[in-house]
Amino acid sequence: MAVSSTSVGVVILVFILLYSDAAGTTDTGPNDMHQSPMENGPKDVHQSSNARTLQCYCEGHCPGNLQNGTCETRPGGSCFAAVEEVTDEETGQTVPEWSHGCMPPEQNGGLLQCKVGVQSPQIHGKSIVCCDGEDFCNKDLLPEYVPKTTTPLPTANISDHNVHHTLALLASVIICVVAFAVVVIAAYVMFKKREKRKPHCLIDSVCNPNLSPLADLVEQSSGSGSGLPLLVQRTIAKQIQMVHSVGKGRYGEVWLAKWRDERVAVKIFHTTEEASWFRETEIYQTVLMRHENILGFIAADIKGTGTWTQMLLITDYHELGSLYDYLQKRVLNPHMLKTLALSLASGLAHLHTEIFGTPGKPAIAHRDIKSKNILVKRNGQCAIADFGLAVKYSSESDEIEIAKNTRVGTRRYMAPEALNETLDANVFESFKQADMYSLGLVFWEMARRCISTIRGTKNTTCEDYALPYQDVVPSDPSFEDMYAVVCVKGVRPPIPQRWQDEEILVVLSKMMQECWHPNPAVRLTALRVKKTLVKLETDCSIKIV
């Protein structure tokens, strides 16, 4: 495009020069076309190789200020006769004054002065006629006297010349502007076409959000359910726009953010919680980890400028917030309770299950199940989040992978074997059984907010939201507080009598009591809980064995 614009400019410049030259060479007025031999004389004399001196009649311009006489020109000069407008000192009026003399050879024998005098006497107030044909040729010359005027007389040739010149200049400018605009527009169009052809992203939907929503990027990238490629994660992390904070916790802060006009959640870890960030990122990127009841992972990255560091974890955003917040603001009907409980059990069952194959998924224990680490989706289902304490187990290697993390779980939800330190860390089933204890407590929180009909009336009722053991331990209980209540006294959350009047509450109350049994081996598995809730709709007479 640069070559094209240069070529157009050169062509236009040549056109202007040729047009101007043609206008200048063809501008010949009647006075030039029909000059008398006398007026053409000086030019011919100057160009002739036989330049000679002339004897001229002089009057008013004689050498030595003589009155009348003879003067002699230098070679190449000419004789002239002139009339000039002067002011009479006595009358104060303007009168003509004639003079004769010799014209010096400079300026082509006075050709310039002669032309000015002949063509524009009304402007200059002086008319000059020159000759060089013979000696004393100017004696009988009488130039026409034209009084001086303030405005020039209209001359058709000069006006036409000015009009033509103006039109040519205007046309040239317009052509240049139009050509330049065309070149600029063409260059811009070509640039945009080239930009569109360039591959900007590793996957199509990062470039074009219309191809697939953000949740489908993983399937488009690998299909393994292990998250996006690292370069794509970092690209997304750099394009995130923070909106506002939605919550703070002991280990970090959660922000609502936007990526390509789609809302996402960004968890910013404290600098002291690098181990939690690393572990959670590692768990999320486990093969076949993705599940509808596990918080959708998008990207993870570390940002820093040398003076500060931010560890980011970018996930799906669920506007209803955590189960803890959800239960405080809403009451549940039996269907909503079943949906929440079944989805939570399904997510935990997926975590606990080891999938064999290539690739395969290790079994994972959460180790920090609580209502604040469970999010509520728009469809009323749960999504398990916060895997900073999770452990992995692969039966092939028979190794339990426990992250080096000084962080401990939430004491209120800790299983008795964790509180009395009898949990066998060398057996992976121990971690799964501890998760089931915590699951029973979360079920209890859900059940309290489910409405049931009061016997003998049409009225409904439910309990206020409460945390497990809220009435027997402080708001931030210590290990000793929880150990005394759970292990020593064997206290468990109370089961209200009204729960026996609603089918889902009956089933859940039996399951939660099995889940928080002091003997870990007696507790139900996540898969058993899931299957029981699935059968609830088709089988009204369920026995838990």
Side-chain angles (χ1 to χ4, degrees):
M1 293 309 297
V3 175
S4 300
S5 60
T6 304
S7 302
V8 172
V10 171
V11 171
I12 294 172
L13 181 60
V14 171
F15 170 76
I16 295 172
L17 292 176
L18 290 176
Y19 191 94
S20 301
D21 184 61
T25 55
T26 56
D27 181 31
T28 306
N31 293 334
D32 295 327
M33 295 291 293
H34 305 287
Q35 282 185 342
S36 66
M38 293 181 180
E39 294 170 357
N40 290 331
K43 185 176 180 182
D44 298 335
V45 171
H46 181 71
Q47 293 177 348
S48 173
S49 59
N50 298 322
R52 63 186 180 86
T53 61
L54 289 175
Q55 297 290 326
C56 301
Y57 172 71
C58 68
E59 181 181 358
H61 287 79
C62 294
N65 295 321
L66 298 176
Q67 287 291 349
N68 295 308
T70 302
C71 63
E72 183 176 345
T73 68
R74 286 180 289 172
S78 60
C79 303
F80 76 89
V83 61
E84 185 176 5
E85 185 181 276
V86 296
T87 303
D88 190 337
E89 295 180 357
E90 295 181 359
T91 63
Q93 297 180 350
T94 57
V95 296
E97 181 182 68
W98 279 268
S99 60
H100 300 73
C102 296
M103 185 71 69
E106 291 79 9
Q107 298 291 333
N108 291 336
L111 178 63
L112 179 61
Q113 296 186 42
C114 291
K115 276 195 171 186
V116 172
V118 173
Q119 292 184 359
S120 307
Q122 75 280 2
I123 298 178
H124 302 282
K126 184 175 183 179
S127 179
I128 302 175
V129 179
C130 303
C131 65
D132 59 359
E134 58 181 353
D135 291 340
F136 303 106
C137 61
N138 65 333
K139 187 170 183 178
D140 297 325
L141 290 178
L142 290 175
E144 181 183 1
Y145 170 65
V146 181
K148 184 178 181 181
T149 60
T150 56
T151 58
L153 295 176
T155 304
N157 293 330
I158 296 177
S159 298
D160 291 344
H161 168 71
N162 291 337
V163 170
H164 291 161
H165 184 73
T166 303
L167 290 176
L169 181 61
L170 182 61
S172 302
V173 171
I174 294 175
I175 292 173
C176 289
V177 171
V178 172
F180 179 75
V182 170
V183 170
V184 170
I185 293 174
Y188 178 78
V189 172
M190 291 295 294
F191 173 77
K192 284 297 182 182
K193 287 183 178 179
R194 291 180 181 178
E195 287 295 314
K196 288 182 179 180
R197 287 196 294 264
K198 291 181 181 179
H200 290 284
C201 307
L202 296 177
I203 52 180
D204 293 338
S205 54
V206 177
C207 296
N208 187 1
N210 296 327
L211 293 180
S212 176
L214 191 55
D216 294 338
L217 287 181
V218 175
E219 285 74 10
Q220 189 184 130
S221 62
S222 64
S224 64
S226 59
L228 295 170
L230 182 59
L231 288 178
V232 178
Q233 291 186 35
R234 291 191 172 181
T235 300
I236 293 175
K238 290 181 180 179
Q239 297 173 348
I240 288 293
Q241 295 178 339
M242 298 293 191
V243 179
H244 60 79
S245 175
V246 294
K248 292 183 180 180
R250 185 179 303 174
Y251 307 107
E253 184 176 6
V254 179
W255 280 69
L256 168 63
K258 283 192 175 183
W259 180 78
R260 295 183 180 271
D261 295 328
E262 188 168 351
R263 295 191 298 180
V264 296
V266 180
K267 185 176 181 180
I268 304 176
F269 289 77
H270 297 320
T271 53
T272 56
E273 299 299 326
E274 183 177 358
S276 295
W277 173 85
F278 184 82
R279 185 57 172 176
E280 192 162 358
T281 301
E282 183 183 18
I283 293 294
Y284 273 124
Q285 292 180 335
T286 301
V287 175
L288 299 177
M289 177 66 178
R290 293 188 68 84
H291 187 272
E292 64 176 340
N293 300 124
I294 294 176
L295 180 61
F297 169 75
I298 298 173
D301 195 15
I302 296 180
K303 289 184 177 181
T305 61
T307 57
W308 58 268
T309 302
Q310 278 188 334
M311 293 169 288
L312 307 180
L313 187 71
I314 304 168
T315 64
D316 293 341
Y317 175 74
H318 298 295
E319 59 188 17
L320 296 179
S322 68
L323 181 63
Y324 172 79
D325 298 323
Y326 184 79
L327 294 177
Q328 291 188 78
K329 300 174 183 176
R330 293 172 174 82
V331 294
L332 309 176
N333 58 41
H335 176 71
M336 294 169 65
L337 175 59
K338 176 183 175 300
T339 302
L340 287 173
L342 176 58
S343 59
L344 178 56
S346 298
L348 190 58
H350 179 73
L351 281 179
H352 286 181
T353 303
E354 181 178 5
I355 300 176
F356 299 94
T358 306
K361 170 191 165 294
I364 299 174
H366 191 280
R367 296 181 66 204
D368 197 14
I369 294 290
K370 61 179 179 179
S371 56
K372 290 184 178 180
N373 287 342
I374 299 167
L375 300 176
V376 180
K377 300 163 67 174
R378 278 189 177 182
N379 60 5
Q381 296 187 11
C382 292
I384 302 174
D386 195 345
F387 295 90
L389 288 176
V391 297
K392 295 195 294 185
Y393 171 76
S394 174
S395 60
E396 292 184 3
S397 61
D398 195 25
E399 291 182 357
I400 299 175
E401 187 181 331
I402 302 177
K404 297 180 180 179
N405 194 345
T406 57
R407 172 183 165 186
V408 296
T410 306
R411 291 183 287 269
R412 185 183 297 272
Y413 292 84
M414 280 186 176
E417 61 270 24
L419 293 171
N420 59 24
E421 298 181 351
T422 59
L423 186 145
D424 190 353
N426 295 320
V427 178
F428 182 71
E429 287 297 320
S430 301
F431 296 106
K432 292 167 61 176
Q433 292 162 357
D435 280 350
M436 296 309 298
Y437 171 86
S438 303
L439 178 68
L441 297 181
V442 175
F443 279 171
W444 180 83
E445 294 178 65
M446 293 180 184
R448 284 179 60 89
R449 301 297 289 158
C450 181
I451 58 175
S452 63
T453 304
I454 302 175
R455 292 181 181 180
T457 69
K458 294 183 179 180
N459 298 329
T460 58
T461 184
C462 70
E463 290 79 32
D464 293 335
Y465 175 78
L467 286 169
Y469 306 110
Q470 180 172 304
D471 54 340
V472 291
V473 296
S475 58
D476 185 17
S478 63
F479 278 102
E480 291 74 16
D481 294 332
M482 294 307 303
Y483 174 77
V485 171
V486 175
C487 298
V488 177
K489 297 180 182 178
V491 174
R492 296 294 184 270
I495 305 296
Q497 182 62 36
R498 74 170 185 90
W499 288 10
Q500 306 305 316
D501 298 332
E502 186 63 51
E503 183 181 24
I504 181 63
L505 292 176
V506 172
V507 173
L508 276 182
S509 63
K510 291 180 180 180
M511 285 195 298
M512 67 182 68
Q513 292 178 71
E514 295 279 356
C515 288
W516 63 46
H517 197 280
N519 183 1
V522 176
R523 296 171 192 162
L524 299 175
T525 63
L527 186 59
R528 179 72 264 167
V529 173
K530 174 184 175 182
K531 289 182 177 181
T532 302
L533 292 173
V534 168
K535 290 181 180 179
L536 183 60
E537 291 184 353
T538 57
D539 189 359
C540 298
S541 56
I542 298 177
K543 277 192 175 183
I544 300 178
V545 294

Short mmCIF file of all heavy atoms in Angstrom, two decimals, residues 107-155:
data_model
loop_
_atom_site.label_atom_id
_atom_site.label_comp_id
_atom_site.label_asym_id
_atom_site.label_seq_id
_atom_site.Cartn_x
_atom_site.Cartn_y
_atom_site.Cartn_z
N GLN A 107 18.19 44.60 -19.30
CA GLN A 107 16.82 44.09 -19.38
C GLN A 107 16.36 43.97 -20.83
O GLN A 107 15.28 44.41 -21.20
CB GLN A 107 15.86 45.00 -18.60
CG GLN A 107 16.14 45.08 -17.11
CD GLN A 107 15.84 43.77 -16.42
OE1 GLN A 107 15.01 43.02 -16.90
NE2 GLN A 107 16.54 43.52 -15.33
N ASN A 108 17.22 43.34 -21.63
CA ASN A 108 16.89 43.13 -23.06
C ASN A 108 16.56 44.44 -23.77
O ASN A 108 15.57 44.56 -24.49
CB ASN A 108 15.73 42.17 -23.22
CG ASN A 108 16.12 40.76 -22.82
OD1 ASN A 108 17.30 40.42 -22.87
ND2 ASN A 108 15.14 39.94 -22.46
N GLY A 109 17.42 45.38 -23.59
CA GLY A 109 17.22 46.65 -24.29
C GLY A 109 16.02 47.41 -23.78
O GLY A 109 15.39 48.13 -24.53
N GLY A 110 15.68 47.26 -22.52
CA GLY A 110 14.51 47.95 -21.97
C GLY A 110 13.20 47.30 -22.33
O GLY A 110 12.16 47.91 -22.22
N LEU A 111 13.25 46.04 -22.77
CA LEU A 111 12.02 45.36 -23.19
C LEU A 111 10.99 45.30 -22.07
O LEU A 111 9.80 45.50 -22.30
CB LEU A 111 12.37 43.94 -23.67
CG LEU A 111 11.20 43.08 -24.11
CD1 LEU A 111 10.49 43.71 -25.32
CD2 LEU A 111 11.67 41.67 -24.47
N LEU A 112 11.44 45.06 -20.82
CA LEU A 112 10.50 44.94 -19.71
C LEU A 112 9.76 46.26 -19.48
O LEU A 112 8.55 46.29 -19.31
CB LEU A 112 11.26 44.52 -18.44
CG LEU A 112 10.39 44.37 -17.19
CD1 LEU A 112 9.32 43.30 -17.40
CD2 LEU A 112 11.28 44.01 -15.99
N GLN A 113 10.51 47.38 -19.47
CA GLN A 113 9.88 48.68 -19.26
C GLN A 113 8.92 49.01 -20.40
O GLN A 113 7.85 49.56 -20.19
CB GLN A 113 10.95 49.76 -19.14
CG GLN A 113 11.85 49.58 -17.92
CD GLN A 113 12.81 50.75 -17.76
OE1 GLN A 113 12.42 51.90 -17.95
NE2 GLN A 113 14.06 50.45 -17.43
N CYS A 114 9.30 48.68 -21.61
CA CYS A 114 8.43 48.95 -22.75
C CYS A 114 7.13 48.17 -22.64
O CYS A 114 6.05 48.70 -22.90
CB CYS A 114 9.14 48.59 -24.05
SG CYS A 114 10.53 49.70 -24.43
N LYS A 115 7.20 46.88 -22.25
CA LYS A 115 6.00 46.05 -22.14
C LYS A 115 5.08 46.59 -21.07
O LYS A 115 3.86 46.66 -21.24
CB LYS A 115 6.37 44.61 -21.84
CG LYS A 115 6.71 43.81 -23.08
CD LYS A 115 6.71 42.33 -22.76
CE LYS A 115 6.83 41.50 -24.03
NZ LYS A 115 6.70 40.05 -23.77
N VAL A 116 5.65 46.94 -19.92
CA VAL A 116 4.81 47.46 -18.84
C VAL A 116 4.12 48.73 -19.26
O VAL A 116 2.94 48.95 -19.01
CB VAL A 116 5.65 47.68 -17.57
CG1 VAL A 116 4.84 48.40 -16.51
CG2 VAL A 116 6.16 46.35 -17.04
N GLY A 117 4.85 49.56 -19.91
CA GLY A 117 4.26 50.83 -20.34
C GLY A 117 3.19 50.66 -21.38
O GLY A 117 2.22 51.40 -21.40
N VAL A 118 3.34 49.69 -22.27
CA VAL A 118 2.35 49.49 -23.33
C VAL A 118 1.12 48.79 -22.81
O VAL A 118 -0.01 49.15 -23.13
CB VAL A 118 2.99 48.69 -24.50
CG1 VAL A 118 1.92 48.32 -25.53
CG2 VAL A 118 4.07 49.53 -25.16
N GLN A 119 1.29 47.74 -21.97
CA GLN A 119 0.16 46.91 -21.56
C GLN A 119 -0.64 47.52 -20.42
O GLN A 119 -1.83 47.31 -20.34
CB GLN A 119 0.67 45.53 -21.16
CG GLN A 119 1.21 44.73 -22.31
CD GLN A 119 1.63 43.32 -21.90
OE1 GLN A 119 1.50 42.97 -20.73
NE2 GLN A 119 2.10 42.54 -22.85
N SER A 120 -0.01 48.25 -19.50
CA SER A 120 -0.73 48.76 -18.32
C SER A 120 -0.45 50.24 -18.09
O SER A 120 0.00 50.63 -17.01
CB SER A 120 -0.34 47.94 -17.09
OG SER A 120 -0.52 46.57 -17.33
N PRO A 121 -0.71 51.13 -19.05
CA PRO A 121 -0.44 52.55 -18.81
C PRO A 121 -1.38 53.15 -17.78
O PRO A 121 -1.02 54.07 -17.08
CB PRO A 121 -0.65 53.17 -20.21
CG PRO A 121 -1.59 52.24 -20.90
CD PRO A 121 -1.25 50.89 -20.40
N GLN A 122 -2.61 52.60 -17.68
CA GLN A 122 -3.58 53.18 -16.75
C GLN A 122 -3.21 52.91 -15.31
O GLN A 122 -3.67 53.59 -14.41
CB GLN A 122 -5.00 52.64 -17.03
CG GLN A 122 -5.25 51.22 -16.58
CD GLN A 122 -4.68 50.20 -17.55
OE1 GLN A 122 -4.07 50.58 -18.56
NE2 GLN A 122 -4.85 48.93 -17.24
N ILE A 123 -2.35 51.85 -15.09
CA ILE A 123 -1.95 51.52 -13.72
C ILE A 123 -0.73 52.34 -13.31
O ILE A 123 -0.68 52.90 -12.21
CB ILE A 123 -1.65 50.02 -13.61
CG1 ILE A 123 -2.90 49.22 -13.93
CG2 ILE A 123 -1.10 49.67 -12.23
CD1 ILE A 123 -2.70 47.72 -13.90
N HIS A 124 0.23 52.41 -14.17
CA HIS A 124 1.50 53.07 -13.83
C HIS A 124 1.49 54.56 -14.16
O HIS A 124 2.41 55.29 -13.75
CB HIS A 124 2.66 52.40 -14.57
CG HIS A 124 2.77 50.93 -14.26
ND1 HIS A 124 3.32 50.45 -13.11
CD2 HIS A 124 2.35 49.85 -14.97
CE1 HIS A 124 3.27 49.13 -13.10
NE2 HIS A 124 2.68 48.74 -14.24
N GLY A 125 0.53 55.06 -14.99
CA GLY A 125 0.51 56.49 -15.37
C GLY A 125 1.59 56.86 -16.35
O GLY A 125 1.94 58.03 -16.48
N LYS A 126 2.15 55.90 -17.02
CA LYS A 126 3.25 56.16 -17.97
C LYS A 126 3.15 55.19 -19.12
O LYS A 126 2.94 53.99 -18.91
CB LYS A 126 4.59 56.00 -17.27
CG LYS A 126 5.80 56.36 -18.14
CD LYS A 126 7.07 56.28 -17.30
CE LYS A 126 8.28 56.69 -18.15
NZ LYS A 126 9.54 56.64 -17.36
N SER A 127 3.29 55.72 -20.36
CA SER A 127 3.24 54.88 -21.56
C SER A 127 4.54 55.05 -22.31
O SER A 127 4.98 56.19 -22.55
CB SER A 127 2.04 55.28 -22.44
OG SER A 127 2.01 54.49 -23.60
N ILE A 128 5.19 53.96 -22.69
CA ILE A 128 6.49 53.99 -23.36
C ILE A 128 6.39 53.19 -24.64
O ILE A 128 5.81 52.10 -24.67
CB ILE A 128 7.59 53.40 -22.46
CG1 ILE A 128 7.68 54.16 -21.13
CG2 ILE A 128 8.94 53.43 -23.16
CD1 ILE A 128 8.65 53.56 -20.16
N VAL A 129 6.95 53.76 -25.69
CA VAL A 129 7.05 53.06 -26.98
C VAL A 129 8.51 53.03 -27.35
O VAL A 129 9.20 54.06 -27.30
CB VAL A 129 6.22 53.75 -28.09
CG1 VAL A 129 6.38 53.00 -29.41
CG2 VAL A 129 4.76 53.81 -27.69
N CYS A 130 9.04 51.86 -27.73
CA CYS A 130 10.46 51.69 -28.05
C CYS A 130 10.63 51.31 -29.52
O CYS A 130 9.73 50.71 -30.13
CB CYS A 130 11.08 50.62 -27.17
SG CYS A 130 10.90 50.95 -25.39
N CYS A 131 11.79 51.63 -30.03
CA CYS A 131 12.12 51.23 -31.40
C CYS A 131 13.63 51.11 -31.54
O CYS A 131 14.38 51.70 -30.76
CB CYS A 131 11.55 52.23 -32.41
SG CYS A 131 12.31 53.87 -32.28
N ASP A 132 14.07 50.35 -32.53
CA ASP A 132 15.51 50.21 -32.77
C ASP A 132 15.77 49.93 -34.26
O ASP A 132 16.79 49.36 -34.62
CB ASP A 132 16.09 49.10 -31.91
CG ASP A 132 15.43 47.77 -32.18
OD1 ASP A 132 14.50 47.71 -33.01
OD2 ASP A 132 15.81 46.76 -31.51
N GLY A 133 14.83 50.35 -35.11
CA GLY A 133 14.98 50.06 -36.54
C GLY A 133 16.02 50.93 -37.22
O GLY A 133 16.74 50.47 -38.11
N GLU A 134 16.09 52.23 -36.82
CA GLU A 134 17.02 53.16 -37.47
C GLU A 134 17.33 54.28 -36.51
O GLU A 134 16.69 54.40 -35.44
CB GLU A 134 16.39 53.69 -38.74
CG GLU A 134 15.08 54.41 -38.52
CD GLU A 134 14.47 54.91 -39.82
OE1 GLU A 134 15.15 54.81 -40.84
OE2 GLU A 134 13.34 55.39 -39.77
N ASP A 135 18.27 55.10 -36.89
CA ASP A 135 18.62 56.24 -36.06
C ASP A 135 17.45 57.22 -36.04
O ASP A 135 16.73 57.39 -37.03
CB ASP A 135 19.85 56.95 -36.62
CG ASP A 135 21.12 56.08 -36.46
OD1 ASP A 135 21.06 55.16 -35.59
OD2 ASP A 135 22.10 56.29 -37.17
N PHE A 136 17.25 57.84 -34.90
CA PHE A 136 16.19 58.83 -34.68
C PHE A 136 14.81 58.27 -35.00
O PHE A 136 13.91 59.00 -35.43
CB PHE A 136 16.45 60.10 -35.51
CG PHE A 136 17.78 60.73 -35.23
CD1 PHE A 136 18.83 60.62 -36.14
CD2 PHE A 136 17.98 61.46 -34.05
CE1 PHE A 136 20.04 61.19 -35.89
CE2 PHE A 136 19.22 62.05 -33.81
CZ PHE A 136 20.26 61.91 -34.71
N CYS A 137 14.63 56.96 -34.79
CA CYS A 137 13.33 56.35 -35.08
C CYS A 137 12.27 56.77 -34.07
O CYS A 137 11.09 56.58 -34.30
CB CYS A 137 13.45 54.83 -35.13
SG CYS A 137 14.02 54.11 -33.54
N ASN A 138 12.66 57.36 -32.96
CA ASN A 138 11.70 57.72 -31.93
C ASN A 138 11.21 59.15 -32.02
O ASN A 138 10.41 59.59 -31.22
CB ASN A 138 12.30 57.47 -30.54
CG ASN A 138 13.50 58.40 -30.28
OD1 ASN A 138 14.17 58.82 -31.23
ND2 ASN A 138 13.75 58.70 -29.01
N LYS A 139 11.72 59.85 -33.02
CA LYS A 139 11.38 61.27 -33.08
C LYS A 139 9.91 61.48 -33.40
O LYS A 139 9.27 62.41 -32.89
CB LYS A 139 12.25 61.96 -34.14
CG LYS A 139 12.08 63.49 -34.14
CD LYS A 139 13.11 64.14 -35.03
CE LYS A 139 12.98 65.68 -34.98
NZ LYS A 139 14.00 66.35 -35.81
N ASP A 140 9.38 60.64 -34.23
CA ASP A 140 7.98 60.79 -34.63
C ASP A 140 7.03 59.87 -33.84
O ASP A 140 5.85 59.78 -34.17
CB ASP A 140 7.84 60.50 -36.13
CG ASP A 140 8.63 61.51 -36.98
OD1 ASP A 140 8.70 62.68 -36.56
OD2 ASP A 140 9.19 61.09 -38.01
N LEU A 141 7.57 59.16 -32.85
CA LEU A 141 6.71 58.28 -32.05
C LEU A 141 5.92 59.09 -31.05
O LEU A 141 6.47 59.94 -30.33
CB LEU A 141 7.54 57.23 -31.31
CG LEU A 141 8.20 56.14 -32.16
CD1 LEU A 141 9.01 55.21 -31.27
CD2 LEU A 141 7.15 55.35 -32.93
N LEU A 142 4.61 58.85 -30.98
CA LEU A 142 3.74 59.53 -30.02
C LEU A 142 2.92 58.47 -29.27
O LEU A 142 1.87 58.03 -29.77
CB LEU A 142 2.81 60.51 -30.72
CG LEU A 142 3.48 61.75 -31.31
CD1 LEU A 142 2.47 62.58 -32.09
CD2 LEU A 142 4.11 62.61 -30.22
N PRO A 143 3.38 58.03 -28.12
CA PRO A 143 2.61 57.02 -27.37
C PRO A 143 1.29 57.62 -26.90
O PRO A 143 1.17 58.82 -26.66
CB PRO A 143 3.52 56.69 -26.19
CG PRO A 143 4.40 57.87 -26.04
CD PRO A 143 4.63 58.43 -27.42
N GLU A 144 0.28 56.76 -26.81
CA GLU A 144 -1.06 57.17 -26.41
C GLU A 144 -1.07 57.51 -24.93
O GLU A 144 -0.55 56.79 -24.09
CB GLU A 144 -2.06 56.05 -26.69
CG GLU A 144 -3.49 56.42 -26.33
CD GLU A 144 -4.44 55.25 -26.54
OE1 GLU A 144 -3.98 54.16 -26.95
OE2 GLU A 144 -5.65 55.41 -26.28
N TYR A 145 -1.68 58.67 -24.62
CA TYR A 145 -1.77 59.09 -23.23
C TYR A 145 -3.05 58.52 -22.62
O TYR A 145 -4.15 58.74 -23.11
CB TYR A 145 -1.77 60.62 -23.14
CG TYR A 145 -2.12 61.14 -21.75
CD1 TYR A 145 -1.28 60.89 -20.66
CD2 TYR A 145 -3.30 61.86 -21.53
CE1 TYR A 145 -1.60 61.35 -19.40
CE2 TYR A 145 -3.62 62.33 -20.28
CZ TYR A 145 -2.76 62.07 -19.19
OH TYR A 145 -3.10 62.52 -17.96
N VAL A 146 -2.91 57.78 -21.54
CA VAL A 146 -4.04 57.21 -20.80
C VAL A 146 -3.94 57.68 -19.35
O VAL A 146 -2.94 57.38 -18.68
CB VAL A 146 -4.05 55.67 -20.85
CG1 VAL A 146 -5.25 55.13 -20.09
CG2 VAL A 146 -4.07 55.19 -22.29
N PRO A 147 -4.92 58.44 -18.85
CA PRO A 147 -4.84 58.91 -17.46
C PRO A 147 -4.74 57.74 -16.48
O PRO A 147 -5.32 56.68 -16.70
CB PRO A 147 -6.15 59.67 -17.27
CG PRO A 147 -6.59 60.04 -18.66
CD PRO A 147 -6.11 58.94 -19.55
N LYS A 148 -4.01 57.95 -15.42
CA LYS A 148 -3.83 56.91 -14.38
C LYS A 148 -5.13 56.71 -13.61
O LYS A 148 -5.79 57.64 -13.22
CB LYS A 148 -2.72 57.34 -13.42
CG LYS A 148 -2.38 56.30 -12.37
CD LYS A 148 -1.23 56.79 -11.51
CE LYS A 148 -0.87 55.77 -10.46
NZ LYS A 148 0.24 56.23 -9.59
N THR A 149 -5.49 55.42 -13.36
CA THR A 149 -6.69 55.07 -12.58
C THR A 149 -6.30 54.24 -11.37
O THR A 149 -5.22 53.63 -11.34
CB THR A 149 -7.69 54.28 -13.45
OG1 THR A 149 -7.04 53.09 -13.88
CG2 THR A 149 -8.13 55.08 -14.65
N THR A 150 -7.23 54.21 -10.36
CA THR A 150 -6.94 53.44 -9.13
C THR A 150 -7.23 51.97 -9.30
O THR A 150 -6.71 51.13 -8.58
CB THR A 150 -7.78 53.99 -7.96
OG1 THR A 150 -9.15 53.96 -8.33
CG2 THR A 150 -7.36 55.41 -7.64
N THR A 151 -8.14 51.65 -10.26
CA THR A 151 -8.47 50.25 -10.50
C THR A 151 -8.13 49.89 -11.93
O THR A 151 -8.35 50.69 -12.83
CB THR A 151 -9.97 50.01 -10.26
OG1 THR A 151 -10.73 50.87 -11.10
CG2 THR A 151 -10.34 50.26 -8.81
N PRO A 152 -7.60 48.72 -12.15
CA PRO A 152 -7.22 48.34 -13.51
C PRO A 152 -8.45 48.10 -14.37
O PRO A 152 -9.50 47.67 -13.90
CB PRO A 152 -6.44 47.04 -13.30
CG PRO A 152 -6.95 46.48 -12.01
CD PRO A 152 -7.29 47.67 -11.17
N LEU A 153 -8.32 48.42 -15.63
CA LEU A 153 -9.41 48.15 -16.56
C LEU A 153 -9.54 46.66 -16.78
O LEU A 153 -8.54 45.94 -16.76
CB LEU A 153 -9.11 48.84 -17.92
CG LEU A 153 -9.07 50.38 -17.89
CD1 LEU A 153 -8.67 50.90 -19.25
CD2 LEU A 153 -10.42 50.94 -17.46
N PRO A 154 -10.74 46.21 -16.99
CA PRO A 154 -10.93 44.75 -17.18
C PRO A 154 -10.25 44.29 -18.46
O PRO A 154 -10.39 44.90 -19.50
CB PRO A 154 -12.45 44.59 -17.26
CG PRO A 154 -12.96 45.93 -17.68
CD PRO A 154 -12.04 46.94 -17.09
N THR A 155 -9.51 43.24 -18.33
CA THR A 155 -8.83 42.64 -19.47
C THR A 155 -9.26 41.20 -19.56
O THR A 155 -9.05 40.43 -18.62
CB THR A 155 -7.30 42.72 -19.33
OG1 THR A 155 -6.94 44.10 -19.15
CG2 THR A 155 -6.61 42.16 -20.57
#
